[in-house]
């Protein structure tokens, strides 16, 4: 058994090496194979790539075919339903933060996205004096709160990944945009 004093006496590199070696002792079922992970990643990239390309003709079709004005059915239910979804997203984000749950990252992203969508649709569907109220609400409340939620989400992911990188003996000073998913570099970077 390694005592706490022995662990404190180790260098950061020695602790990282020990953490890596302990992780390798996990049963095979606890570790998903890198090949399976790579196949899933490629499938994910292909599906999203195809979906984004297919959006181009759809957007062009909508731009050409949509009428400039449209009388919507269930208008109150649409807006009230959206705001109820937003309320639940914000409440769940608060609950996850209160309980210190990792899901707060996803909840903050969803809440921020819903706030940004709410601001967009409020501004684009409002007319007359309501437009000024929508603009004020968007720029004073919804968009700043959405931006803050995006920042918090980014910060929490970065913090989690820094801790993982330190434990695995890698440099934690990599921007989140360049950081490999789950801290596992691609095969090209591993070979280098």
């Amino acid at each position: 058994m390694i005592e706490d004093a022995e662990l404190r006496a180790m260098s950061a590199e020695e602790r990282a090496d020990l953490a890596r070696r302990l992780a390798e002792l996990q049963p095979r079922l606890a570790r998903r194979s890198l090949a399976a992970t790579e196949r899933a990643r490629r499938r994910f990239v292909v599906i999203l790539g195809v979906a984004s390309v297919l959006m181009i003709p759809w957007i062009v079709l909508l731009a050409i075919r949509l009428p400039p004005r449209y009388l919507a059915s269930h208008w109150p239910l649409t807006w009230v339903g959206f705001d109820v979804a937003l309320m639940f997203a914000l409440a769940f984000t608060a609950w996850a933060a209160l309980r210190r749950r990792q899901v707060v990252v996803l909840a903050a992203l969803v809440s921020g996205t819903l706030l940004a969508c709410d601001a967009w649709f409020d501004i684009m569907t409002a007319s007359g004096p309501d437009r000024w109220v929508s603009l004020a609400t968007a720029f004073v409340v919804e968009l700043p709160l959405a931006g803050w939620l995006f920042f918090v989400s980014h910060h929490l992911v970065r913090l989690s990944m820094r801790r993982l990188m330190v434990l695995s003996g890698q440099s934690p000073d990599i921007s989140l945009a360049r950081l490999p998913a789950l801290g596992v570099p691609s095969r090209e970077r591993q070979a280098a």
Side-chain angles (χ1 to χ4, degrees):
M1 176 70 87
I2 299 175
E3 299 293 326
D4 288 349
E6 292 175 277
L7 289 172
R8 281 191 212 90
M10 290 179 165
S11 69
E13 292 81 19
E14 290 171 325
R15 283 193 301 271
D17 182 57
L18 178 60
R20 265 193 310 275
R21 290 177 29 215
L22 288 171
E24 288 172 3
L25 294 175
Q26 291 293 327
R28 182 167 170 79
L29 292 177
R31 293 179 286 145
R32 188 172 181 188
S33 77
L34 287 178
T37 302
E38 182 62 18
R39 282 191 304 273
R41 185 193 66 82
R42 283 192 187 132
R43 192 174 320 119
F44 182 78
V45 169
V46 167
I47 290 170
L48 291 182
V50 168
S52 63
V53 169
L54 291 176
M55 287 297 296
I56 296 169
W58 176 250
I59 291 167
V60 170
L61 181 69
L62 284 177
I64 293 169
R65 303 266 331 227
L66 280 177
R69 294 196 184 294
Y70 184 79
L71 181 60
S73 300
H74 311 293
W75 189 247
L77 181 60
T78 300
W79 282 107
V80 170
F82 185 88
D83 285 343
V84 167
L86 177 57
M87 177 198 64
F88 278 116
L90 291 169
F92 183 74
T93 303
W95 174 86
L98 178 69
R99 298 290 186 179
R100 293 184 170 96
R101 301 289 196 261
Q102 190 69 25
V103 73
V104 72
V105 173
L106 297 174
L109 279 174
V110 168
S111 295
T113 302
L114 289 175
L115 280 164
C117 290
D118 195 23
W120 171 262
F121 287 110
D122 281 347
I123 291 169
M124 298 310 294
T125 59
S127 61
D130 290 344
R131 167 105 10 131
W132 294 109
V133 172
S134 295
L135 284 165
T137 304
F139 287 104
V140 174
V141 178
E142 292 167 327
L143 294 176
L145 183 54
W148 182 63
L149 287 166
F150 294 145
F151 169 79
V152 166
S153 179
H154 177 274
H155 176 73
L156 291 173
V157 168
R158 182 74 184 118
L159 182 63
S160 297
M161 290 311 300
R162 285 188 74 147
R163 289 187 178 167
L164 177 66
M165 301 288 282
V166 167
L167 285 174
S168 66
Q170 301 175 53
S171 171
D173 298 322
I174 300 173
S175 72
L176 191 57
R178 292 187 50 230
L179 187 65
L182 302 176
V184 178
S186 66
R187 289 184 182 153
E188 296 83 34
R189 291 192 64 201
Q190 285 176 338

mmCIF file of all heavy atoms in Angstrom, residues 47-73:
data_model
loop_
_atom_site.group_PDB
_atom_site.id
_atom_site.type_symbol
_atom_site.label_atom_id
_atom_site.label_comp_id
_atom_site.label_asym_id
_atom_site.label_seq_id
_atom_site.Cartn_x
_atom_site.Cartn_y
_atom_site.Cartn_z
ATOM 1 N N ILE A 47 -22.085 11.673 -40.300
ATOM 2 C CA ILE A 47 -23.511 12.006 -40.163
ATOM 3 C C ILE A 47 -23.705 13.511 -40.057
ATOM 4 O O ILE A 47 -24.549 14.086 -40.747
ATOM 5 C CB ILE A 47 -24.133 11.263 -38.960
ATOM 6 C CG1 ILE A 47 -24.233 9.764 -39.263
ATOM 7 C CG2 ILE A 47 -25.507 11.836 -38.608
ATOM 8 C CD1 ILE A 47 -24.597 8.902 -38.064
ATOM 9 N N LEU A 48 -22.931 14.167 -39.203
ATOM 10 C CA LEU A 48 -23.083 15.616 -39.054
ATOM 11 C C LEU A 48 -22.635 16.366 -40.303
ATOM 12 O O LEU A 48 -23.238 17.384 -40.668
ATOM 13 C CB LEU A 48 -22.327 16.114 -37.830
ATOM 14 C CG LEU A 48 -22.900 15.677 -36.493
ATOM 15 C CD1 LEU A 48 -22.101 16.272 -35.348
ATOM 16 C CD2 LEU A 48 -24.361 16.066 -36.366
ATOM 17 N N GLY A 49 -21.590 15.885 -40.964
ATOM 18 C CA GLY A 49 -21.142 16.518 -42.206
ATOM 19 C C GLY A 49 -22.209 16.447 -43.288
ATOM 20 O O GLY A 49 -22.520 17.447 -43.946
ATOM 21 N N VAL A 50 -22.797 15.261 -43.460
ATOM 22 C CA VAL A 50 -23.861 15.086 -44.457
ATOM 23 C C VAL A 50 -25.077 15.944 -44.093
ATOM 24 O O VAL A 50 -25.663 16.615 -44.948
ATOM 25 C CB VAL A 50 -24.248 13.596 -44.592
ATOM 26 C CG1 VAL A 50 -25.525 13.421 -45.399
ATOM 27 C CG2 VAL A 50 -23.102 12.818 -45.225
ATOM 28 N N ALA A 51 -25.451 15.941 -42.826
ATOM 29 C CA ALA A 51 -26.605 16.741 -42.385
ATOM 30 C C ALA A 51 -26.382 18.228 -42.661
ATOM 31 O O ALA A 51 -27.291 18.920 -43.125
ATOM 32 C CB ALA A 51 -26.879 16.505 -40.905
ATOM 33 N N SER A 52 -25.177 18.714 -42.403
ATOM 34 C CA SER A 52 -24.927 20.139 -42.637
ATOM 35 C C SER A 52 -24.953 20.472 -44.122
ATOM 36 O O SER A 52 -25.458 21.522 -44.528
ATOM 37 C CB SER A 52 -23.605 20.573 -41.998
ATOM 38 O OG SER A 52 -22.520 19.907 -42.586
ATOM 39 N N VAL A 53 -24.451 19.590 -44.969
ATOM 40 C CA VAL A 53 -24.490 19.820 -46.416
ATOM 41 C C VAL A 53 -25.931 19.762 -46.920
ATOM 42 O O VAL A 53 -26.335 20.570 -47.770
ATOM 43 C CB VAL A 53 -23.585 18.817 -47.162
ATOM 44 C CG1 VAL A 53 -23.819 18.863 -48.657
ATOM 45 C CG2 VAL A 53 -22.123 19.085 -46.835
ATOM 46 N N LEU A 54 -26.728 18.826 -46.402
ATOM 47 C CA LEU A 54 -28.130 18.731 -46.816
ATOM 48 C C LEU A 54 -28.948 19.950 -46.383
ATOM 49 O O LEU A 54 -30.002 20.219 -46.964
ATOM 50 C CB LEU A 54 -28.759 17.450 -46.280
ATOM 51 C CG LEU A 54 -28.251 16.145 -46.900
ATOM 52 C CD1 LEU A 54 -28.886 14.946 -46.215
ATOM 53 C CD2 LEU A 54 -28.505 16.120 -48.399
ATOM 54 N N MET A 55 -28.482 20.662 -45.387
ATOM 55 C CA MET A 55 -29.186 21.879 -44.955
ATOM 56 C C MET A 55 -29.122 22.979 -46.009
ATOM 57 O O MET A 55 -30.013 23.822 -46.075
ATOM 58 C CB MET A 55 -28.589 22.403 -43.642
ATOM 59 C CG MET A 55 -28.932 21.592 -42.413
ATOM 60 S SD MET A 55 -30.691 21.568 -42.039
ATOM 61 C CE MET A 55 -31.012 23.280 -41.685
ATOM 62 N N ILE A 56 -28.098 22.981 -46.849
ATOM 63 C CA ILE A 56 -27.929 24.054 -47.843
ATOM 64 C C ILE A 56 -29.111 24.114 -48.800
ATOM 65 O O ILE A 56 -29.750 25.174 -48.932
ATOM 66 C CB ILE A 56 -26.584 23.921 -48.579
ATOM 67 C CG1 ILE A 56 -25.431 24.106 -47.584
ATOM 68 C CG2 ILE A 56 -26.479 24.918 -49.738
ATOM 69 C CD1 ILE A 56 -24.064 23.734 -48.137
ATOM 70 N N PRO A 57 -29.483 23.020 -49.494
ATOM 71 C CA PRO A 57 -30.643 23.126 -50.392
ATOM 72 C C PRO A 57 -31.940 23.412 -49.630
ATOM 73 O O PRO A 57 -32.825 24.105 -50.142
ATOM 74 C CB PRO A 57 -30.699 21.779 -51.115
ATOM 75 C CG PRO A 57 -29.849 20.859 -50.330
ATOM 76 C CD PRO A 57 -28.857 21.696 -49.585
ATOM 77 N N TRP A 58 -32.064 22.901 -48.419
ATOM 78 C CA TRP A 58 -33.259 23.156 -47.618
ATOM 79 C C TRP A 58 -33.385 24.651 -47.311
ATOM 80 O O TRP A 58 -34.460 25.226 -47.428
ATOM 81 C CB TRP A 58 -33.215 22.332 -46.333
ATOM 82 C CG TRP A 58 -34.355 22.613 -45.414
ATOM 83 C CD1 TRP A 58 -34.301 23.256 -44.215
ATOM 84 C CD2 TRP A 58 -35.737 22.295 -45.617
ATOM 85 N NE1 TRP A 58 -35.556 23.344 -43.653
ATOM 86 C CE2 TRP A 58 -36.458 22.761 -44.512
ATOM 87 C CE3 TRP A 58 -36.431 21.661 -46.647
ATOM 88 C CZ2 TRP A 58 -37.836 22.615 -44.395
ATOM 89 C CZ3 TRP A 58 -37.802 21.514 -46.521
ATOM 90 C CH2 TRP A 58 -38.485 21.987 -45.399
ATOM 91 N N ILE A 59 -32.295 25.281 -46.937
ATOM 92 C CA ILE A 59 -32.306 26.718 -46.636
ATOM 93 C C ILE A 59 -32.645 27.524 -47.881
ATOM 94 O O ILE A 59 -33.440 28.472 -47.829
ATOM 95 C CB ILE A 59 -30.949 27.156 -46.037
ATOM 96 C CG1 ILE A 59 -30.783 26.549 -44.638
ATOM 97 C CG2 ILE A 59 -30.817 28.670 -45.992
ATOM 98 C CD1 ILE A 59 -29.385 26.656 -44.073
ATOM 99 N N VAL A 60 -32.061 27.152 -49.021
ATOM 100 C CA VAL A 60 -32.356 27.847 -50.276
ATOM 101 C C VAL A 60 -33.836 27.690 -50.619
ATOM 102 O O VAL A 60 -34.516 28.665 -50.983
ATOM 103 C CB VAL A 60 -31.456 27.319 -51.421
ATOM 104 C CG1 VAL A 60 -31.908 27.855 -52.773
ATOM 105 C CG2 VAL A 60 -30.001 27.679 -51.158
ATOM 106 N N LEU A 61 -34.378 26.484 -50.481
ATOM 107 C CA LEU A 61 -35.792 26.235 -50.754
ATOM 108 C C LEU A 61 -36.677 27.085 -49.851
ATOM 109 O O LEU A 61 -37.645 27.702 -50.313
ATOM 110 C CB LEU A 61 -36.109 24.743 -50.588
ATOM 111 C CG LEU A 61 -37.550 24.339 -50.859
ATOM 112 C CD1 LEU A 61 -37.861 24.486 -52.345
ATOM 113 C CD2 LEU A 61 -37.796 22.916 -50.397
ATOM 114 N N LEU A 62 -36.355 27.123 -48.563
ATOM 115 C CA LEU A 62 -37.141 27.947 -47.637
ATOM 116 C C LEU A 62 -37.078 29.425 -48.014
ATOM 117 O O LEU A 62 -38.098 30.132 -47.992
ATOM 118 C CB LEU A 62 -36.641 27.776 -46.205
ATOM 119 C CG LEU A 62 -37.030 26.497 -45.487
ATOM 120 C CD1 LEU A 62 -36.389 26.459 -44.107
ATOM 121 C CD2 LEU A 62 -38.539 26.363 -45.373
ATOM 122 N N ALA A 63 -35.901 29.900 -48.353
ATOM 123 C CA ALA A 63 -35.741 31.308 -48.713
ATOM 124 C C ALA A 63 -36.579 31.671 -49.938
ATOM 125 O O ALA A 63 -37.121 32.774 -50.028
ATOM 126 C CB ALA A 63 -34.265 31.621 -48.970
ATOM 127 N N ILE A 64 -36.725 30.741 -50.846
ATOM 128 C CA ILE A 64 -37.495 30.994 -52.076
ATOM 129 C C ILE A 64 -38.993 30.809 -51.849
ATOM 130 O O ILE A 64 -39.801 31.607 -52.331
ATOM 131 C CB ILE A 64 -37.015 30.045 -53.201
ATOM 132 C CG1 ILE A 64 -35.581 30.388 -53.602
ATOM 133 C CG2 ILE A 64 -37.937 30.114 -54.404
ATOM 134 C CD1 ILE A 64 -34.940 29.346 -54.501
ATOM 135 N N ARG A 65 -39.386 29.781 -51.111
ATOM 136 C CA ARG A 65 -40.779 29.372 -51.033
ATOM 137 C C ARG A 65 -41.592 29.964 -49.891
ATOM 138 O O ARG A 65 -42.815 30.016 -49.980
ATOM 139 C CB ARG A 65 -40.858 27.844 -50.923
ATOM 140 C CG ARG A 65 -40.187 27.089 -52.039
ATOM 141 C CD ARG A 65 -41.063 26.705 -53.159
ATOM 142 N NE ARG A 65 -42.430 26.498 -52.770
ATOM 143 C CZ ARG A 65 -43.176 25.491 -53.110
ATOM 144 N NH1 ARG A 65 -42.664 24.549 -53.835
ATOM 145 N NH2 ARG A 65 -44.437 25.402 -52.757
ATOM 146 N N LEU A 66 -40.948 30.366 -48.792
ATOM 147 C CA LEU A 66 -41.732 30.849 -47.649
ATOM 148 C C LEU A 66 -42.403 32.179 -47.965
ATOM 149 O O LEU A 66 -41.784 33.071 -48.546
ATOM 150 C CB LEU A 66 -40.843 31.011 -46.415
ATOM 151 C CG LEU A 66 -40.528 29.734 -45.653
ATOM 152 C CD1 LEU A 66 -39.581 30.035 -44.501
ATOM 153 C CD2 LEU A 66 -41.776 29.066 -45.128
ATOM 154 N N PRO A 67 -43.658 32.324 -47.568
ATOM 155 C CA PRO A 67 -44.338 33.609 -47.783
ATOM 156 C C PRO A 67 -43.758 34.666 -46.834
ATOM 157 O O PRO A 67 -43.278 34.337 -45.743
ATOM 158 C CB PRO A 67 -45.800 33.304 -47.437
ATOM 159 C CG PRO A 67 -45.743 32.119 -46.540
ATOM 160 C CD PRO A 67 -44.525 31.346 -46.928
ATOM 161 N N PRO A 68 -43.808 35.944 -47.233
ATOM 162 C CA PRO A 68 -43.261 36.995 -46.370
ATOM 163 C C PRO A 68 -44.068 37.162 -45.073
ATOM 164 O O PRO A 68 -43.542 37.597 -44.063
ATOM 165 C CB PRO A 68 -43.324 38.255 -47.227
ATOM 166 C CG PRO A 68 -44.278 37.944 -48.323
ATOM 167 C CD PRO A 68 -44.306 36.457 -48.487
ATOM 168 N N ARG A 69 -45.334 36.804 -45.117
ATOM 169 C CA ARG A 69 -46.191 36.861 -43.923
ATOM 170 C C ARG A 69 -46.931 35.536 -43.812
ATOM 171 O O ARG A 69 -47.272 34.914 -44.802
ATOM 172 C CB ARG A 69 -47.211 37.981 -44.043
ATOM 173 C CG ARG A 69 -46.613 39.349 -44.043
ATOM 174 C CD ARG A 69 -47.717 40.367 -43.761
ATOM 175 N NE ARG A 69 -47.312 41.732 -43.814
ATOM 176 C CZ ARG A 69 -46.470 42.319 -42.973
ATOM 177 N NH1 ARG A 69 -45.926 41.633 -42.032
ATOM 178 N NH2 ARG A 69 -46.173 43.589 -43.091
ATOM 179 N N TYR A 70 -47.206 35.150 -42.542
ATOM 180 C CA TYR A 70 -47.877 33.882 -42.330
ATOM 181 C C TYR A 70 -48.657 33.971 -41.030
ATOM 182 O O TYR A 70 -48.119 34.393 -40.007
ATOM 183 C CB TYR A 70 -46.839 32.753 -42.245
ATOM 184 C CG TYR A 70 -47.448 31.385 -42.128
ATOM 185 C CD1 TYR A 70 -47.949 30.730 -43.238
ATOM 186 C CD2 TYR A 70 -47.522 30.744 -40.900
ATOM 187 C CE1 TYR A 70 -48.507 29.473 -43.135
ATOM 188 C CE2 TYR A 70 -48.078 29.483 -40.787
ATOM 189 C CZ TYR A 70 -48.574 28.852 -41.909
ATOM 190 O OH TYR A 70 -49.130 27.611 -41.814
ATOM 191 N N LEU A 71 -49.897 33.578 -41.077
ATOM 192 C CA LEU A 71 -50.722 33.546 -39.880
ATOM 193 C C LEU A 71 -50.530 32.177 -39.230
ATOM 194 O O LEU A 71 -50.817 31.145 -39.830
ATOM 195 C CB LEU A 71 -52.199 33.763 -40.242
ATOM 196 C CG LEU A 71 -53.171 33.784 -39.071
ATOM 197 C CD1 LEU A 71 -52.810 34.911 -38.099
ATOM 198 C CD2 LEU A 71 -54.591 33.944 -39.583
ATOM 199 N N ALA A 72 -50.002 32.177 -38.025
ATOM 200 C CA ALA A 72 -49.652 30.918 -37.362
ATOM 201 C C ALA A 72 -50.789 30.433 -36.474
ATOM 202 O O ALA A 72 -51.410 31.205 -35.757
ATOM 203 C CB ALA A 72 -48.397 31.098 -36.531
ATOM 204 N N SER A 73 -51.008 29.140 -36.530
ATOM 205 C CA SER A 73 -51.965 28.517 -35.621
ATOM 206 C C SER A 73 -51.276 28.274 -34.282
ATOM 207 O O SER A 73 -50.063 28.110 -34.216
ATOM 208 C CB SER A 73 -52.427 27.175 -36.191
ATOM 209 O OG SER A 73 -53.040 27.363 -37.440
#
